[in-house]
Amino acid sequence: MHAEDILLVPARILNEYVYCPRLAYLEWVQGEFRENVDVVEGKLEHRRVDEERGELPTPEEADPERPVAARSVLLSSDRLGIIARIDLIEGEGNRVSPVDYKRGRAPDLPEGAWEADRVQVCAQALLLRENGYRCDEGVVYYCESRRRVAVPVTEELTTRCLAVAEEVRRMAREGTIPPPLVNSPKCIRCSLAPICLPDEVSLLRGAVGEEDVRRIFPARDDAAPLYLQTQGLSVGIRGERVEIREGGSLMRDARLLDISQVSLFGNIQITTQAVRAFLDRGIPVCYFSMGGWFQGWSQGLVHKNVELRRLQYARAADPEARLALARRFVAGKIRNSRTLLRRNHAGDPAAALAELARLAEAAEKAANLETLLGLEGAAARTYFAHFGELLQGGDPGCRTFDFNGRSRRPPTDPVNAVLSFLYSVLAKELTVTTMTVGFDPLMGFYHQPRYGRPALALDLMEEFRPLIAESTVLTLINRKEIGSSDFLRRGNAWALTENGRKAVLRAYERRMDDLVTHPRFGYQVSYRRVLEVQARLLGRVLTGEIPEYVAFETR
Ligand code: SF4
C-alpha cells in the first residue's frame, strides 16, 4: 500500500475494524470484495444517498438561518489521516451533523447504535470539524427499524475513534493479516466469509477442532458458466441481458447475473460492449481453439491483492519452499488416482494399488523436483495401465473405447481425445479460480513458467485430475452418454465433434456441480467451490497463516 494511501483511512474501514480487524485488512489492504445478500441490499438502500445532491456552503459563507442538506459529500483530513464519503450532511448554517445510513435494525443497546457505527459517524463528525464546521453529534439511521439514533461526539468516543484509526494504519504498515474470529456469530453475516474461511483457517492453525467448522457460504454457485461453440454465433448485450445470435436471429438470451464465466470455442464473435459488460462484472471470458485448446482469457483490472502475488513470486524463487508445495500436489494426485482405481475397478488390482500408495509416500519425501517428476511419471504409467479396465461402455461390438495408455499430442484414440479436452477445460477453470483469488496463474511451483502456460493452475489441477476429469470420462463412457459418432479421425489423431464436445461439457458441468463431503472440513460443497477453497488455502499458506498446504484427497 502506498504511504499516502495509508495516511487516509476511510471511515468505513474504521467501522469494519471494530467489527473484525481481519475484515478491515481483507478489504483495505488486500482489496477483497464480495457481494452477498446484505451487501446488495445495502447498496440498494444506499442508492438514494449515493447521488451527489444538495449544496454544502463553506463554513464562512454559511447563512445561520438557512437549512443545509447535502448528500454524498467527500471530506478528508491529513491531520486526522481519515477520509469519508458522508451519506448526508444536515443542519443549519455552519452547525451540521453527518447522517450515516445503515441497512438492518437498530440494536437494543443503551447507546442505541453499534460501537462500529458510532466510531464511523464520529470520524465523519471530526472531519466536519476539521473542515471548519460546528458539529456536536452524528446520526446513524437504521433503515429496517426506520430509527434515527443520535451519537454525541464525546471525548471518550473521539479518543476511541482516533485510536482505531491508528491501529488500522499500524496493521496496514506491518502487513500481517489478523487471525480469524473463533466461533463467532459475526462471521455468518460477513460478506467476506468465503474469502476469509475463518473456521477452515482456524482448524488448520490448530485453534479449533473439526467439530467447530461451519460451512458459512453456499454449497454451490447460483451463476453458471456459458459455453458457446457453434461456429458463427455472435454474443452481444442488451441492458442486463446477454444475447446470442446466429445470422442475426436471436437464439438464446440470459441475465448477466446468472453467468459466472464465458467460454468461446473457435470463431464466435463478441461485441466490445459485451466484453466490457463482462469485465465490469468480473466475469472472465475464456477463448479456446475450435478443437478445444485453451488459448487465453480476458479479465478486468488485475486483482488488487498485490501482497499475494509478491509472496507467490518469492515462494516460486525459493527451491525448498517450491518443493514442499510440489510434493503435496503430486502426492494428492497419486492418492486420488489410487482411490478412483480402488472404487471403480471390478477386479482386484492389488499390486497397482500398493505401488500407487508407495509412490504417494515417496512423493511426500522427494528430495528434488526431478525425483518428483520421475515419481509422478511412474504413478501415471501404473494408473493408466489399469484405467482402460474401468471402462465398460462403448457401442456394442465396437472398440471405440479401447484404451492403451495416455497419448497427448495428438490423442491417438477417443478416450485420450476426451481426456485432453477435459484437462484443457479444467486448466481454464483453475486459471479463472487462481485469478479470482488474486494469484498470477502463470507462475507455478511445480510446473515451470513457460510462455502462456498457466503453471499455477496446472499445479492446483494435479489433485483434481482424477476427481473431475477422469471421473467424468468414466461417467460418459460407462453410462453411454458418448458414442463412436461423437469423434472424428484424421490419420492417427482423434478429436471430438461439436456434439461430442457438448456431451462432454454437460457431464463436466454436472461433475463440477456435484456435492462432495470435504475430507477435512466435513461439510458438503460442490467441486467448483472446492477448487476455490483450495486456491484460497494455498494463499493462506503463502501469507504464513497456515503451516502447510493440505491437498484435497477423497477417501
Ligand atoms: S468471516 Fe469472520 S473472521 Fe473473517 S473477516 Fe468476516 S467476521 Fe472477520
Side-chain angles (χ1 to χ4, degrees):
M1 183 170 288
H2 199 276
E4 287 144 28
D5 298 330
I6 290 175
L7 268 178
L8 295 180
V9 185
R12 172 181 60 80
I13 295 299
L14 303 184
N15 183 315
E16 311 285 26
Y17 186 88
V18 174
Y19 186 81
C20 167
R22 184 177 174 87
L23 177 63
Y25 190 92
L26 288 169
E27 276 202 18
W28 196 43
V29 181
Q30 296 195 338
E32 296 286 7
F33 176 75
R34 190 140 173 158
E35 289 195 334
N36 69 358
V37 178
D38 287 356
V39 173
V40 173
E41 283 181 7
K43 266 193 196 166
L44 290 175
E45 270 153 19
H46 253 100
R47 241 184 349 205
R48 200 165 55 93
V49 289
D50 282 347
E51 256 176 60
E52 292 185 9
R53 275 194 290 141
E55 273 191 31
L56 179 66
T58 61
E60 301 76 31
E61 290 168 351
D63 174 349
E65 303 292 311
R66 214 157 152 195
V68 172
R71 294 186 185 279
S72 192
V73 180
L74 186 67
L75 290 180
S76 68
S77 156
D78 287 350
R79 195 182 72 81
L80 296 177
I82 298 174
I83 184 167
R85 184 169 288 281
I86 303 176
D87 292 341
L88 172 65
I89 297 173
E90 61 176 22
E92 278 173 355
N94 72 353
R95 180 181 279 279
V96 291
S97 300
V99 181
D100 198 60
Y101 285 73
K102 297 288 176 207
R103 69 173 298 277
R105 303 181 63 76
D108 188 13
L109 294 172
E111 300 86 355
W114 298 109
E115 192 205 7
D117 297 342
R118 291 191 297 116
V119 165
Q120 182 178 358
V121 84
C122 173
Q124 297 173 352
L126 296 180
L127 284 175
L128 282 164
R129 284 185 186 173
E130 280 292 299
N131 282 273
Y133 299 92
R134 294 173 64 192
C135 178
D136 301 324
E137 67 171 32
V139 174
V140 183
Y141 182 78
Y142 289 98
C143 297
E144 213 178 309
S145 335
R146 300 186 176 195
R147 186 184 300 166
R148 285 170 64 96
V149 178
V151 178
V153 183
T154 60
E155 218 178 297
E156 190 189 351
L157 184 58
T158 302
T159 307
R160 170 77 173 131
C161 175
L162 296 178
V164 170
E166 188 44 45
E167 282 171 35
V168 172
R169 274 191 291 274
R170 184 183 43 75
M171 173 185 79
R173 264 196 314 270
E174 289 175 359
T176 308
I177 186 168
L181 303 179
V182 173
N183 274 333
S184 170
K186 289 182 178 179
C187 300
I188 292 166
R189 292 213 74 133
C190 176
S191 65
L192 292 192
I195 291 171
C196 164
L197 298 175
D199 295 355
E200 295 83 342
V201 170
S202 294
L203 175 74
L204 297 174
R205 288 161 65 93
V208 299
E210 286 187 12
E211 64 287 354
D212 295 317
V213 178
R214 303 159 293 177
R215 180 176 55 71
I216 44 184
F217 48 85
R220 291 191 172 101
D221 293 322
D222 294 332
L226 174 69
Y227 294 96
L228 295 173
Q229 51 168 342
T230 302
Q231 301 305 289
L233 287 182
S234 66
V235 184
I237 200 92
R238 184 179 291 262
E240 287 296 300
R241 296 189 83 82
V242 179
E243 293 188 337
I244 296 138
R245 294 178 179 273
E246 188 169 21
S249 311
L250 183 65
M251 306 299 292
R252 194 177 149 193
D253 72 338
R255 294 190 309 172
L256 269 169
L257 201 66
D258 295 329
I259 298 174
S260 61
Q261 50 178 271
V262 179
S263 292
L264 307 177
F265 291 78
N267 298 317
I268 313 269
Q269 308 304 317
I270 180 164
T271 64
T272 311
Q273 290 87 337
V275 172
R276 198 176 292 135
F278 291 133
L279 300 187
D280 275 354
R281 286 160 184 81
I283 300 171
V285 183
C286 301
Y287 304 92
F288 291 80
S289 69
M290 224 173 326
W293 186 253
F294 177 39
Q295 293 175 303
W297 66 91
S298 313
Q299 65 168 125
L301 289 175
V302 176
H303 195 289
K304 291 182 203 152
N305 194 348
V306 180
E307 184 192 20
L308 184 63
R309 288 191 289 282
R310 192 174 52 75
L311 292 167
Q312 180 187 359
Y313 298 136
R315 176 71 68 120
D318 176 342
E320 271 309 306
R322 271 181 63 185
L323 179 62
L325 286 171
R327 285 184 190 125
R328 290 297 169 101
F329 299 140
V330 173
K333 171 186 176 178
I334 299 175
R335 290 203 183 96
N336 285 335
S337 304
R338 183 179 179 278
T339 304
L340 189 93
L341 203 57
R342 177 172 57 74
R343 283 192 189 165
N344 294 283
H345 202 286
D348 181 19
L353 295 181
E355 177 64 356
L356 288 172
R358 185 191 72 76
L359 288 167
E361 281 301 300
E364 292 279 13
K365 299 180 200 122
N368 51 50
L369 286 178
E370 290 68 37
T371 308
L372 196 56
L373 266 171
L375 293 166
E376 188 203 354
R381 280 190 295 282
T382 304
Y383 168 66
F384 281 117
H386 292 274
F387 187 73
E389 295 155 18
L390 311 182
L391 305 172
Q392 304 141 15
D395 302 343
C398 165
R399 300 178 57 98
T400 303
F401 298 118
D402 281 358
F403 178 77
N404 296 307
R406 184 82 183 103
S407 60
R408 289 179 183 80
R409 293 194 191 169
T412 53
D413 57 66
V415 177
N416 271 298
V418 180
L419 280 171
S420 291
F421 181 65
L422 281 166
Y423 292 148
S424 187
V425 175
L426 189 53
K428 174 269 305 180
E429 199 79 53
L430 278 154
T431 301
V432 168
T433 306
T434 50
M435 278 188 319
T436 306
V437 170
F439 284 114
D440 176 349
L442 302 185
M443 178 60 81
F445 303 111
Y446 179 48
H447 290 84
Q448 304 298 310
R450 207 188 289 156
Y451 180 76
R453 180 163 88 154
L456 182 66
L458 296 176
D459 282 358
L460 274 168
M461 181 166 138
E462 292 296 2
E463 68 209 60
F464 292 104
R465 284 175 187 259
L467 301 178
I468 296 175
E470 288 135 34
S471 163
T472 302
V473 172
L474 296 189
T475 303
L476 278 162
I477 297 176
N478 293 353
R479 294 194 190 160
K480 300 186 173 48
E481 292 179 17
I482 200 164
S484 50
S485 61
D486 291 313
F487 296 90
L488 288 171
R489 183 176 188 169
R490 289 196 199 93
N492 256 347
W494 286 78
L496 283 155
T497 62
E498 188 181 317
N499 275 342
R501 282 198 300 268
K502 277 187 186 156
V504 175
L505 288 172
R506 272 196 302 272
Y508 168 81
E509 278 304 318
R510 280 204 313 270
R511 184 65 177 161
M512 292 300 279
D513 232 23
D514 271 354
L515 292 184
V516 55
T517 301
H518 197 290
R520 255 342 268 290
F521 307 138
Y523 51 58
Q524 290 234 304
V525 65
S526 74
Y527 270 108
R528 182 165 273 116
R529 277 281 158 111
V530 168
L531 299 186
E532 185 180 337
V533 169
Q534 289 302 107
R536 292 206 181 278
L537 292 179
L538 176 62
R540 302 281 171 237
V541 174
L542 301 196
T543 53
E545 273 200 87
I546 52 179
E548 53 190 6
Y549 179 74
V550 181
F552 181 89
E553 294 174 10
T554 52
R555 291 175 184 150

